[in-house]
Amino acid sequence: MNAPAAISNVAASGLAGVRFRDRLLFVAVLASFFVMTDPAPHELIVSGGMVILLASTLRLPRFMVALMGLLLVLNVSGIIAAVPIMERTRVANFAITSVFLAVSTFFYGLLLSENTEARFVLLRRAWIIAALLASLAAIAGYFNIGGTSALFTAYDGTRAKATFNDPNVFGPFLIPPTLFIAQDLIHGVRKFIPAIASFLFLCVGQFLSFSRASWAHLVGSLLLLAVLTLITTGSARLRARLLITGLAGVVLLAALIAILLSLDSVGKVFAERASLQQSYDLKTGGRFDNYLNALNVLLAAPWGLGPFEFAARFGEDAHNAYLNTFLSYGWAGGLSYLALCITTVMLAISGLRRAHPLRSHMIVLVASFVPLTMVSFIIHTDHWRHYFLLVAAIWALRAAMQRPASAGMARVQ
């Protein structure tokens, strides 16, 4: 074979590998909405894809070393804490899931470290499609279309969980794609009618989850998206479009919620869930009372108690990701998780400080992740798949912003 032909074959092989990794990312994100089986399709795709990536010549980015170092400490600490109670039900599965989430972070970080702009566009598209499918399942289940209530709802059909195991995970999963669509509406890069229809459709799914934390997360994320867009743009036209789009969205969303609340089945659940304080939060031995009791236990258990021990001792889960990691993974694991959250937020915010074609993407990630870290004080997020997808995306995007921007980079696709 002559030299030009050999070079051509190598180039073609390299291009095929890039296209394969593009498709791998898209399929993995698309499959992330379906977690009703164990293992879920997402786990199989990521695990198989990780083997392929490790067998390839894909270069390990420097940022991945620090990221995986934090996750390594977290998981080693968790396994040490779990060893004494490993024979108990679900403990081994908890440890395996923790390791898988670290692997998935590595997987997404590797894929997003090359061709970052193009692959982030693929990630957006796949997540939006996945969210629309999940919302479709939620709406069908809540209104028992085709007898799907038992499949797609929880708590006797009063809360939509879609293709997830918990309404409190389903609702937040929809928030990043909702922000993607909102950003597209602000910048006018999508047709208004299909975009606003998709936005409202996701909001209905979110609403029917009846997750108070998720509602607060969505409102906070949309407000943060608007504020960051105003701060980082110098365009008066974009500011005006943001104002008009925002007002139109609020009016349409308010009208849609009013229609939903007119339905007896929705209005009754909303009246109960809309209260900021539930009886199980404030009663003696309730959620907040147990937080204080757990702190005393934590001080006496530097190596951690292992998973599910909080519920065994206090009668219910901690509903606090930070407290849960300290108790389940020990002090070293808790500190590494806290460091992961803080470092990720700092990297994300630092990516907003200078003009860059990728900054618009970082705005959505900041608007999604910062409220999520706050919600983590009242709910478990340490085993959420999309939490670690956001972490990987932020680290990869921030690393890409350190590199010179290519001429072909678009602001928003």
Side-chain angles (χ1 to χ4, degrees):
M1 182 182 293
N2 57 35
I7 293 172
S8 177
N9 287 340
V10 170
S13 176
L15 181 60
V18 169
R19 288 176 176 170
F20 172 77
R21 291 192 286 272
D22 288 346
R23 295 188 182 100
L24 184 60
L25 174 67
F26 186 88
V27 171
V29 176
L30 181 61
S32 63
F33 84 100
F34 188 88
V35 292
M36 299 177 71
T37 60
D38 191 17
H42 176 257
E43 273 78 72
L44 299 176
I45 293 168
V46 170
S47 300
M50 192 71 245
V51 172
I52 295 171
L53 292 180
L54 291 175
S56 71
T57 57
L58 195 64
R59 184 177 61 86
L60 180 66
R62 285 186 297 175
F63 78 88
M64 290 297 299
V65 177
L67 176 57
M68 295 315 297
L70 290 170
L71 290 170
L72 180 64
V73 174
L74 175 67
N75 279 279
V76 170
S77 301
I79 291 172
I80 291 172
V83 165
I85 58 171
M86 192 63 76
E87 76 283 356
R88 297 184 186 177
T89 306
R90 299 191 298 160
V91 171
N93 187 61
F94 182 94
I96 293 170
T97 300
S98 298
V99 172
F100 168 78
L101 291 171
V103 171
S104 73
T105 308
F106 195 28
F107 171 82
Y108 286 118
L110 281 176
L111 288 176
L112 291 170
S113 66
E114 65 172 17
N115 300 331
T116 305
E117 168 67 8
R119 287 198 180 148
F120 198 86
V121 172
L122 288 175
L123 181 150
R124 287 167 55 104
R125 291 173 182 167
W127 205 336
I128 288 171
I129 295 171
L132 289 171
L133 291 173
S135 285
L136 178 63
I139 294 168
Y142 193 85
F143 295 106
N144 199 27
I145 299 172
T148 55
S149 178
L151 191 61
F152 297 136
T153 65
Y155 303 104
D156 298 322
T158 59
R159 297 177 63 186
K161 67 179 181 67
T163 47
F164 292 79
N165 295 318
D166 188 340
N168 292 321
V169 182
F170 159 60
F173 175 84
L174 302 181
I175 291 175
T178 303
L179 297 189
F180 293 148
I181 296 172
Q183 187 181 64
D184 287 346
L185 284 166
I186 293 169
H187 289 280
V189 298
R190 289 178 182 265
K191 293 182 179 180
F192 181 80
I193 299 300
I196 197 67
S198 298
F199 176 84
L200 294 175
F201 192 75
L202 294 185
C203 287
V204 171
Q206 169 85 239
F207 183 80
L208 294 178
S209 73
F210 289 101
S211 169
R212 295 170 298 155
S214 183
W215 292 346
H217 183 187
L218 177 62
V219 172
S221 290
L222 287 171
L223 289 174
L224 190 53
L225 175 70
V227 170
L228 293 176
T229 302
L230 285 172
I231 291 173
T232 57
T233 185
S235 169
R237 180 180 179 183
L238 182 59
R239 291 193 183 102
R241 186 176 180 88
L242 171 61
L243 179 62
I244 294 170
T245 304
L247 289 174
V250 169
V251 170
L252 289 172
L253 189 57
L256 186 60
I257 291 175
I259 292 172
L260 289 172
L261 291 178
S262 67
L263 304 174
D264 288 342
S265 60
V266 177
K268 290 178 180 178
V269 180
F270 178 79
E272 176 187 343
R273 295 295 301 170
S275 172
L276 295 177
Q277 297 177 339
Q278 300 289 322
S279 60
Y280 52 76
D281 291 330
L282 301 176
K283 68 181 181 180
T284 301
R287 181 187 304 189
F288 300 133
D289 190 30
N290 284 338
Y291 286 174
L292 297 177
N293 295 331
L295 290 176
N296 295 325
V297 175
L298 176 62
L299 293 174
W303 295 104
L305 302 175
F308 311 116
E309 279 300 288
F310 183 97
R313 295 191 181 206
F314 300 106
E316 63 175 19
D317 290 330
H319 298 293
N320 182 313
Y322 305 108
L323 180 60
N324 186 60
T325 51
F326 272 95
L327 286 169
S328 299
Y329 298 78
W331 293 3
L335 288 172
S336 64
Y337 181 77
L338 194 59
L340 175 67
C341 297
I342 294 172
T343 306
T344 303
V345 169
M346 291 175 63
L347 285 172
I349 293 175
S350 69
L352 303 177
R353 292 179 178 173
R354 67 186 185 91
H356 192 281
L358 293 172
R359 185 167 67 176
S360 61
H361 298 315
M362 188 64 87
I363 287 173
V364 174
L365 294 180
V366 171
S368 299
F369 190 74
V370 170
L372 184 55
T373 62
M374 300 171 69
V375 167
S376 297
F377 282 102
I378 58 172
I379 198 169
H380 287 170
T381 58
D382 49 298
H383 266 193
W384 289 6
R385 292 165 180 81
H386 75 270
Y387 181 99
F388 289 90
L389 173 54
L390 286 172
V391 168
I394 288 170
W395 283 67
L397 207 63
R398 186 66 186 91
M401 293 176 78
Q402 294 292 104
R403 303 192 292 264
S406 66
M409 275 190 176
R411 179 181 52 76
V412 177
Q413 295 295 330

